[in-house]
Amino acid sequence: MTRFARNRGALLGLLILICVVLLAVFAPLLFPDSPWKMVQRPFLPPLAVEGMPLGTDTLGRNVAAGLVYGARVSLIVGLVSTAVALLIGIPLGALAGFYGGWIDEGAMRFTEFFQTIPSFALAIVLVAILEPHLTSITLAIAIVSWPPVARLVRAEVLSLRRREFVDAARLAGLSNMRILFGHILPNAMSPIIVMASLMVATAILLESSLSFLGLGDPNIMSWGYMIGAARTVIRTAWWLSFIPGVAILLTVLALNLIGEGLNDALNPRLARKGR
Amino acid sequence: MSTALSIHDLAIALPAGADRAFAVRNISFDLQEREILCVVGESGSGKSMTANALMGLLPDLVHVTEGAAVFEGRDLFSLPDSARRALRGDRIGMIFQEPMSALNPLMRIGDQIAEVYEAHNRFTPAERKERALSLIGEVGLPDPEKIIRAYPFQLSGGQRQRAMIAMALALDPAILIADEPTTALDVTTQAQILELIKTIQQRHGMAVMFITHDFGVVAEIADRVIVMRYGDIVEQGSAAQVLEAPQHDYTRALLAAIPSDSVPEPHPVTTAPVLEVRDLRKTYVTSGGLFKPTRSVTAIDGVSFTVARGEVLGIVGESGSGKSTVGRAIVRLVEPDSGQILLDGEDMNALTPQQLRHARRRVQMIFQDPYASLNPRKKILSAISEGPITQGVPVAEAHARARELLDTVGLEASAAERFPHEFSGGQRQRIGIARALAMDPDLIIADEAVSALDVSIQAQVLELLRDLQQRLGLSLLFITHDLRVAAQLCDRIAVMQRGKLVEIGPVSDVFLTPKAEYTRNLLAAVPGADWGNRAATAS
């Protein structure tokens, strides 16, 4: 913890993320009206009218409200899809690394099957087939992002299972499952946590890209949708694309900073030295 | 005789959070021309840091804060980087402990030697090759024409170390720094490398600073000795002085901790065997690919022996002799191909996985690496009591027993609530012993259980093992590469070579009247054998 706190970038990231989370949580209190509601004249620039700090979009909707409600979608999609990806990737990688042999072969070929398809293309196809909905988007993102988790966990388990403490556990008569989940996986947690924090960032980007292409959930305001909708008016009202863009940038940056800070804190030997 | 290198008041600061502020402090010594100076100390004494400081190879965050090292009229520490780089390899050569990691695995040996010349802009490429060839011949590598084209992985450990020495010799340095160059090698190879270093030192008239933890090696090659502890020099003097008449208490303690060659009286073994191994075999087969043939290595080749109840049987052999595989096959961490492992008449090798899990209790193991053998995320209490709990012992009872055992192996009861990283290597090994005892096993297999420890800690752990063995009447299979350690603890010794048992008998027979040629070679290769015998007869 102290090692994490010593990293200034990571603290900044954490601060930004906390702000985003707070805005998302208190969105209904800040903006009781739906973000889809047309409240003013369209194309109001930021700070032009009281109560519309970020102006209005092409249809006269409040950009600030959209931004805050969009944060909810981004965070939910990011967290849930990462959790699902971990739920698929960790057990698969762990079993492949622990048992080896044909289980490993099978699991890794299956993983490669997903890795050979460009992940964004696969996500588009999945969302298009399943119909754009928050659940299907989250699921699609999870499905394209678990393979690296499986590979990482497999590599960690492969190196850990040769340790003498695993032999000792075996000699104690522990079952394979208890050795794997009680002794090996807890020791593999730190790289998984680091990877998960970066995966949340990637998931947010994926969701925004999908919404930008019009494959977002049509009932939910998201950052990607806002950029996509403002794309046609970028020369007359650039701020409509710029503001949600900055929101995505800051959130993703914050998550990356946190991931790096966690990495330095959890793997002190690999931390950049002497600087 | 003049001074080759003179070190004054050297202090090396460690980063905040290390166990002490300075790796070494206020040390001064001279390295004379044409002498071999041994720097001896246990791990953490600062001996390697001193060598690395001389070469400018200190890790980040560690700095020389004070002192000077005068070499050829210049202070090494105040030279600019470029000047030091020019000195490295040219006037000062270095060889390392682990030749596999010190050599570039993707470069041919000849190219690596030639690169030393290239780095210092000497000679034409043709001359470089010529010289590499003659160096390879000089360090006693067979068939230089072939070796020059070989990659490091194609050489044995001893050959790699010879190649490293050839690289260090390339530019005929005035000083050679050797940092534990024989620690990773087998005894017979170690004896050859020590011989080589001595010959080369005399032929080139070099000064050698030889860093080691092993007083046997010191007795073998040192002219002068420096003993270090916690970053201080506690004693220095000629090899004869330090070895025969040590002045400082620490040196005396270190020397006393070395297992002597004096052979204990064997107890006659009368009881029934607890373990009987019959014709055990294990062959590792690497399946070949499309273009390579299958490779098979015979690790255990028809080994049979017995361990009586309350007996300590030592298995001695060099690396690759199959001694560890035998230990692991008995507990079935390795599945043997054929043979019987009878534990009180029950064949362990015939058990189903389910039966095996329950039978596991009866044979326990103490592992080599005290840092890898404890799960870093489990408290000591759960590490010790996990096994018994799995076997059905009530939790409260298992915990009480674990605390009791911590006391038995000489640790405080408070250790139970701590994590492994809070303990030293020796303490962790005690925890490993407690963990094995917790299962109330019929037989304990100690696989190189003291090899990773410093001599003084090694002596303590051996003492503990002997004490426990006598008090509890343990049956012990003690696997080691170190003949002296085996002699101290064992009743009988089995010598293994390339998967075969070449000799087995009471300790005194194996040591005093060895029957096998290989056993004689092993005994002769033990460093400082003459000195050890003299010390033993004198006392």
Side-chain angles (χ1 to χ4, degrees):
Chain A
M1 257 307 69
T2 42
R3 271 202 299 265
F4 183 79
R6 234 182 281 145
N7 186 332
R8 275 206 212 120
L11 280 185
L12 180 71
L14 197 63
L15 200 71
I16 298 174
L17 191 68
I18 288 172
C19 291
V20 176
V21 170
L22 286 178
L23 282 177
V25 169
F26 294 112
L29 294 177
L30 293 168
F31 300 96
D33 291 336
S34 158
W36 297 99
K37 194 174 166 193
M38 290 172 248
V39 289
Q40 256 289 356
R41 190 161 61 82
F43 295 111
L44 272 181
L47 300 171
V49 173
E50 185 124 356
M52 302 283 135
L54 299 176
T56 55
D57 69 3
T58 48
L59 295 174
R61 293 173 294 211
N62 188 347
V63 173
L67 208 60
V68 172
Y69 280 89
R72 301 185 120 192
V73 178
S74 291
L75 288 179
I76 288 174
V77 170
L79 291 174
V80 175
S81 66
T82 302
V84 175
L86 292 179
L87 280 178
I88 305 172
I90 293 179
L92 198 70
L95 293 176
F98 189 70
Y99 285 103
W102 63 266
I103 296 183
D104 187 21
E105 283 291 321
M108 283 305 108
R109 294 301 85 79
F110 183 63
T111 311
E112 275 160 14
F113 174 74
F114 280 87
Q115 286 192 307
T116 47
I117 308 170
S119 58
F120 190 56
L122 181 59
I124 291 175
V125 171
L126 285 171
V127 173
I129 295 171
L130 297 171
E131 302 204 339
H133 186 267
L134 195 58
T135 324
S136 63
I137 294 170
T138 310
L139 197 68
I141 294 175
I143 286 174
V144 301
S145 44
W146 66 265
V149 182
R151 291 218 164 253
L152 174 77
V153 173
R154 171 177 174 269
E156 286 289 318
V157 171
L158 270 181
S159 87
L160 284 168
R161 77 171 172 150
R162 303 236 172 268
R163 298 281 182 89
E164 286 180 343
F165 70 79
V166 175
D167 286 340
R170 216 174 282 260
L171 285 189
L174 261 60
S175 65
N176 281 335
M177 284 301 117
R178 278 207 37 205
I179 292 175
L180 181 53
F181 289 100
H183 283 269
I184 296 181
L185 275 184
N187 282 295
M189 271 339 274
S190 25
I192 298 176
I193 290 171
V194 173
M195 185 176 223
S197 72
L198 299 174
M199 277 169 64
V200 175
T202 323
I204 290 176
L205 281 178
L206 267 174
E207 188 277 332
S208 301
S209 317
L210 285 171
S211 303
F212 176 81
L213 293 179
L215 284 166
D217 190 327
N219 302 314
I220 292 171
M221 180 62 78
S222 84
W223 294 342
Y225 166 78
M226 291 168 79
I227 299 175
R231 171 177 48 110
T232 49
V233 295
I234 195 158
R235 286 206 286 187
T236 49
W238 57 269
W239 61 88
L240 291 181
S241 313
F242 178 74
I243 292 167
V246 169
I248 294 173
L249 175 83
L250 282 180
T251 313
V252 171
L253 179 72
L255 284 162
N256 277 304
L257 286 173
I258 292 170
E260 196 163 301
L262 281 174
N263 192 24
D264 286 1
L266 295 172
N267 304 321
R269 291 222 189 97
L270 299 177
R272 294 155 297 164
K273 285 181 206 157
R275 267 184 269 169
Chain B
M1 205 186 267
S2 61
T3 307
L5 175 74
S6 176
I7 293 172
H8 305 290
D9 300 322
L10 175 66
I12 302 171
L14 290 171
D19 60 339
R20 57 177 194 256
F22 290 90
V24 300
R25 198 166 191 178
N26 264 330
I27 62 167
S28 307
F29 63 87
D30 289 339
L31 178 62
Q32 307 294 339
E33 272 173 16
R34 299 174 167 272
E35 78 164 350
I36 299 184
L37 174 69
C38 273
V39 180
V40 201
E42 299 190 280
S43 51
S45 62
K47 55 192 195 303
S48 285
M49 281 289 185
T50 309
N52 288 338
L54 291 176
M55 291 302 277
L57 295 177
L58 286 176
D60 294 347
L61 302 175
V62 178
H63 305 285
V64 173
T65 48
E66 239 182 275
V70 182
F71 172 69
E72 297 182 339
R74 294 187 289 180
D75 174 18
L76 289 178
F77 301 135
S78 57
L79 286 178
D81 277 352
S82 57
R84 291 193 80 172
R85 201 161 51 233
L87 277 180
R88 270 205 293 264
D90 184 2
R91 306 297 300 145
I92 307 180
M94 186 158 184
I95 45 183
F96 301 89
Q97 173 169 353
E98 191 36 82
M100 189 63 206
S101 49
L103 289 167
N104 182 342
L106 292 179
M107 263 174 97
R108 295 178 196 277
I109 299 293
D111 294 342
Q112 300 203 37
I113 297 175
E115 197 185 33
V116 179
Y117 295 118
E118 207 179 312
H120 291 88
N121 279 324
R122 305 279 172 82
F123 314 122
T124 61
E127 279 174 325
R128 286 175 193 156
K129 193 188 165 200
E130 191 70 18
R131 283 179 181 255
L133 269 178
S134 77
L135 275 172
I136 287 172
E138 180 174 359
V139 295
L141 283 168
D143 202 354
E145 284 289 351
K146 221 165 155 183
I147 294 282
I148 206 167
R149 303 194 41 78
Y151 287 100
F153 72 89
Q154 292 168 316
L155 307 183
S156 70
Q159 288 177 326
R160 278 182 217 131
Q161 198 58 284
R162 283 174 194 269
M164 273 303 297
I165 293 173
M167 277 173 73
L169 285 179
L171 291 163
D172 213 355
I175 297 179
L176 180 68
I177 297 177
D179 190 357
E180 304 255 13
T182 58
T183 308
L185 304 174
D186 282 325
V187 262
T188 45
T189 324
Q190 165 169 291
Q192 292 161 9
I193 296 287
L194 288 178
E195 190 57 45
L196 174 70
I197 291 179
K198 221 161 37 177
T199 331
I200 281 173
Q201 182 261 340
Q202 273 157 12
R203 197 182 307 147
H204 292 251
M206 284 185 302
V208 177
M209 180 172 157
F210 193 104
I211 292 163
T212 180
H213 66 280
D214 187 343
F215 265 105
V217 172
V218 174
E220 203 73 19
I221 67 167
D223 296 320
R224 265 188 337 123
V225 183
I226 287 179
V227 184
M228 287 184 72
R229 181 175 64 161
Y230 305 141
D232 292 320
I233 292 178
V234 296
E235 180 159 359
Q236 56 178 313
S238 73
Q241 265 172 12
V242 174
L243 292 174
E244 314 277 331
Q247 296 302 309
H248 195 277
D249 285 343
Y250 179 65
T251 317
R252 264 182 240 141
L254 270 187
L255 286 167
I258 296 174
S260 66
D261 278 345
S262 54
V263 177
E265 279 303 302
H267 322 217
V269 177
T270 49
T271 44
V274 59
L275 172 78
E276 190 175 354
V277 174
R278 283 189 200 152
D279 200 26
L280 197 64
R281 281 169 202 280
K282 173 76 189 174
T283 305
Y284 287 103
V285 180
T286 327
S287 59
L290 202 53
F291 297 109
K292 52 183 183 187
T294 47
R295 222 168 72 95
S296 72
V297 178
T298 309
I300 314 173
D301 192 1
V303 167
S304 310
F305 60 89
T306 60
V307 181
R309 200 168 282 286
E311 184 198 28
V312 185
L313 175 70
I315 298 189
V316 181
E318 298 189 288
S319 56
S321 61
K323 57 186 193 304
S324 286
T325 316
V326 168
R328 298 174 86 82
I330 292 170
V331 292
R332 280 186 64 187
L333 283 175
V334 165
E335 291 292 331
D337 296 336
S338 67
Q340 284 180 306
I341 300 159
L342 301 174
L343 199 66
D344 268 340
E346 188 183 4
D347 190 354
M348 292 288 279
N349 207 7
L351 296 179
T352 64
Q354 200 57 34
Q355 290 169 320
L356 181 66
R357 267 182 58 201
H358 294 287
R360 289 272 196 215
R361 183 195 68 76
R362 305 176 56 191
V363 190
Q364 286 296 302
M365 215 162 163
I366 304 168
F367 295 91
Q368 170 171 11
D369 184 351
Y371 294 89
S373 61
L374 293 170
N375 186 340
R377 297 201 175 231
K378 289 232 186 254
K379 287 187 177 160
I380 302 308
L381 184 67
S382 91
I384 297 176
S385 58
E386 188 173 31
I389 292 171
T390 315
Q391 301 286 349
V393 177
V395 174
E397 197 180 305
H399 282 184
R401 172 103 172 102
R403 286 175 211 278
E404 220 173 274
L405 281 169
L406 281 175
D407 184 55
T408 312
V409 298
L411 289 171
E412 288 170 29
S414 65
E417 304 304 329
R418 294 197 271 159
F419 285 99
H421 69 87
E422 298 173 57
F423 296 91
S424 68
Q427 288 172 322
R428 288 184 206 211
Q429 215 52 320
R430 285 170 192 267
I431 295 167
I433 294 170
R435 176 172 62 188
L437 289 174
M439 300 290 269
D440 261 327
D442 297 329
L443 174 75
I444 293 183
I445 298 176
D447 187 1
E448 298 274 15
V450 297
S451 317
L453 305 173
D454 280 326
V455 261
S456 57
I457 310 292
Q458 190 176 50
Q460 290 165 15
V461 172
L462 278 175
E463 186 59 46
L464 173 70
L465 275 176
R466 191 178 9 228
D467 179 50
L468 289 173
Q469 195 267 329
Q470 277 161 11
R471 245 178 24 198
L472 309 174
L474 296 178
S475 318
L476 203 59
L477 186 64
F478 192 83
I479 299 169
T480 181
H481 68 281
D482 191 330
L483 281 162
R484 286 196 172 136
V485 169
Q488 276 212 315
L489 191 68
C490 301
D491 300 314
R492 285 190 306 145
I493 286 188
V495 181
M496 281 189 73
Q497 182 193 19
R498 285 192 220 112
K500 284 200 168 69
L501 212 60
V502 294
E503 179 156 8
I504 183 165
V507 175
S508 50
D509 290 4
V510 173
F511 265 67
L512 304 176
T513 52
K515 285 191 264 312
E517 174 73 35
Y518 179 67
T519 315
R520 278 196 286 275
N521 290 344
L522 265 187
L523 284 167
V526 172
D530 303 339
W531 161 71
N533 289 339
R534 249 183 295 135
T537 39
S539 63

